[in-house]
Amino acid sequence: MFCSSFLRKATVAISLLTCVTAAPTSRLQRRGLSFDYGTEKVRGVNLGGWFVLEPWITPSIFDDWSSSTTVVDEYTYTQTLGKDEASSRLENHWNTWITQDDFNQISAAGLNHVRIPIGYWAIAPLDGDPYVQGQLSILDQAIGWARSAGIKVLIDLHGAPGSQNGFDNSGRYGAIGWQQGDTVTQTLNAIQGLAKRYASQTDVVTSIELLNEPLGPDLDLDDLKTFYNNGWSTVRQSNPDTVVVIQDAFEDIDSFWNGFMNGASGDNNVMLDTHQYQIFSDGQVAQSPDEHISAACALGPMVAGTDKWTVVGEWTGAQTDCAKWLNGLGKGARYDGTFPDSTAVGSCNGKYTGTVANLSDDDKSNIRHLIEAQLDAYEQHTGWFFWTWKTESAPEWHMQDLLAGGLFPQPLTSRQYPNQCGF
């Protein structure tokens, strides 16, 4: 069934235009999949804010515009600075935000995967874009760092031409322009570039995510499924084994996605990625700690019920949206009522900026409880990637600091609050 499915879909991908030069691969032979996603658990972390800027992860990069609305994302950042200055600043960031030492710490914590977000503009830039390039040579280095640390890599296309969701984490905040004009073909070109570049390195790069968080309710979902099928074929041109990751587009992971690109369809090595946060509505931030635990535990049977490998590719220990600029540069939080049209629930003291060590005892206990419940729930299927490894000042989200502060279990299977979900 694999062969017939591949032949059926390959004609679409063969026509793609490419403008990407693949990294030298002669020193490596093509290899099969090096992680057993059917029996082993993915225990991973995202390297957010590295190759795709997010103001809340690295607010210092955006401090020059903290009181204006001219710069709100990577697009307007590079547009405002110009190519030369943006390149200078971003190359410094890319070379210092994540290093070999981070990969060593990730491995020492018992994690076995990282998810690395990257934008289309790093691989297949478009004429007229203000974005700058240079990310790929550092990503190449990161693959080597991962190899030396024994870490597997999921490369995640986090931003698509036109923006697939209008979020600042797509590179461009505002209107959704993806699926218009040539944007889907341009996205496939970027995927093709990644697949070619790392085809021989499946000892480390086990998976490629076709697109992060397409906003399903605002997109044509039939066209999205066609894109996923064509993306699978595009990756398969370069490697028969690389896991192709599709994102749930904020649709139900069981009722909507079961039956699509599963084993019966002839599409091999497909993984579903779902993102689970409990903080982006007034109702969610108003939940009690026990209600947050119950919501987390309810996800266990849901992920277990999918018909393909399934990871929770983003989640957090946060029970508030207090982190500085989490809702966008210059925007406040629902939790303390500073976000437009929200009702205050409590104080953001210690959570707006700060460190894990300076959180209140109640916050520390609540975070540890919620992290443990989510670990138990998400390992009911393939596993998880925490968001994110580090931030400059957001303690509820900063895994490196949560580990140091004893709020993330060590070892990862240890529990201070066992059997919260009854699994």
Side-chain angles (χ1 to χ4, degrees):
M1 294 183 69
F2 161 76
C3 292
S4 63
S5 179
F6 177 83
L7 292 171
R8 188 174 65 248
K9 298 174 181 177
T11 54
V12 177
I14 288 171
S15 65
L16 293 174
L17 299 174
T18 59
C19 56
V20 183
T21 301
T25 57
S26 58
R27 62 190 173 82
L28 290 168
Q29 297 299 313
R30 181 170 291 174
R31 299 167 172 155
L33 200 58
S34 60
F35 189 88
D36 187 346
Y37 290 97
T39 61
E40 300 180 73
K41 296 301 180 187
V42 172
R43 293 167 176 160
V45 65
N46 287 273
L47 304 184
W50 191 12
F51 298 128
V52 179
L53 296 181
E54 298 192 36
W56 73 273
I57 296 178
T58 53
S60 68
I61 290 177
F62 292 86
D63 273 346
D64 290 347
W65 303 278
S66 60
S67 59
S68 75
T69 57
T70 57
V71 173
V72 295
D73 52 28
E74 188 159 341
Y75 187 95
T76 51
Y77 178 86
T78 52
Q79 184 180 57
T80 299
L81 290 176
K83 297 273 188 181
D84 290 344
E85 182 62 21
S87 291
S88 176
R89 295 191 188 191
L90 287 178
E91 284 171 7
N92 178 68
H93 169 66
W94 298 333
N95 280 296
T96 57
W97 183 244
I98 299 292
T99 68
Q100 175 75 72
D101 183 59
D102 290 290
F103 279 85
N104 294 344
Q105 290 182 48
I106 288 166
S107 178
L111 298 164
N112 54 30
H113 279 70
V114 294
R115 180 173 178 260
I116 303 181
I118 197 163
Y120 76 89
W121 55 89
I123 311 121
L126 303 177
D127 291 342
D129 275 351
Y131 297 116
V132 298
Q133 287 70 53
Q135 302 92 330
L136 288 180
S137 63
I138 300 167
L139 179 58
D140 291 342
Q141 277 188 303
I143 304 311
W145 297 337
R147 182 177 288 112
S148 68
I151 297 291
K152 307 303 181 186
V153 172
L154 185 163
I155 301 177
D156 152 47
L157 194 69
H158 218 68
S163 179
Q164 72 276 18
N165 52 33
F167 304 155
D168 59 12
N169 60 42
S170 72
R172 191 169 190 180
Y173 174 80
I176 298 173
W178 193 67
Q179 293 187 332
Q180 299 176 24
D182 295 328
T183 54
V184 173
T185 298
Q186 292 161 350
T187 306
L188 290 169
N189 286 338
I191 292 164
Q192 187 178 54
L194 287 173
K196 281 187 172 183
R197 192 177 189 93
Y198 299 110
S200 66
Q201 301 194 52
T202 50
D203 64 313
V204 176
V205 182
T206 59
S207 42
I208 293 175
E209 185 155 359
L210 300 180
L211 190 57
N212 178 70
E213 293 185 351
L215 191 59
D218 288 1
L219 296 171
D220 185 315
L221 290 171
D222 289 334
D223 286 351
L224 177 64
K225 287 183 173 181
T226 299
F227 164 73
Y228 283 162
N229 278 313
N230 293 340
W232 180 91
S233 297
T234 300
V235 174
R236 287 290 165 265
Q237 287 184 86
S238 297
N239 192 288
D241 299 306
T242 300
V243 175
V244 175
V245 184
I246 62 174
Q247 217 278 332
D248 70 6
F250 305 97
E251 301 294 331
D252 188 275
I253 60 175
D254 294 322
S255 64
F256 188 84
W257 290 109
N258 278 350
F260 177 73
M261 294 184 76
N262 58 10
S265 70
D267 304 292
N268 73 318
N269 292 357
V270 175
M271 178 183 291
L272 180 65
D273 170 25
T274 182
H275 297 171
Q276 298 294 334
Y277 295 116
Q278 298 184 35
I279 55 171
F280 290 115
S281 73
D282 289 339
Q284 288 179 321
V285 296
Q287 290 181 138
S288 69
D290 285 345
E291 288 172 328
H292 281 293
I293 297 297
S294 295
C297 292
L299 292 167
M302 290 183 64
V303 297
T306 61
D307 63 1
K308 56 187 71 68
W309 296 330
T310 299
V311 292
V312 179
E314 294 186 20
W315 60 281
T316 178
Q319 298 183 29
T320 78
D321 63 339
C322 286
K324 179 181 178 179
W325 297 345
L326 178 65
N327 294 304
L329 196 150
K331 295 181 181 178
R334 297 169 186 83
Y335 190 77
D336 67 357
T338 56
F339 187 80
D341 300 320
S342 63
T343 302
V345 175
S347 170
C348 283
N349 288 345
K351 298 184 283 292
Y352 179 69
T353 61
T355 64
V356 168
N358 290 326
L359 291 170
S360 71
D361 288 344
D362 282 347
D363 284 335
K364 290 177 181 178
S365 175
N366 291 337
I367 290 171
R368 175 80 189 217
H369 273 89
L370 184 57
I371 286 174
E372 289 190 10
Q374 290 180 96
L375 292 176
D376 290 344
Y378 304 154
E379 291 199 7
Q380 296 302 298
H381 205 159
T382 312
W384 47 269
F385 292 84
F386 186 84
W387 187 279
T388 183
W389 173 242
K390 61 167 62 170
T391 72
E392 287 183 340
S393 60
E396 295 176 289
W397 299 78
H398 188 153
M399 187 180 192
Q400 186 183 44
D401 199 16
L402 291 165
L403 283 162
L407 301 192
F408 211 104
Q410 285 291 280
L412 296 171
T413 54
S414 72
R415 297 289 180 267
Q416 290 182 3
Y417 311 105
N419 203 36
Q420 291 186 93
C421 296
F423 298 140

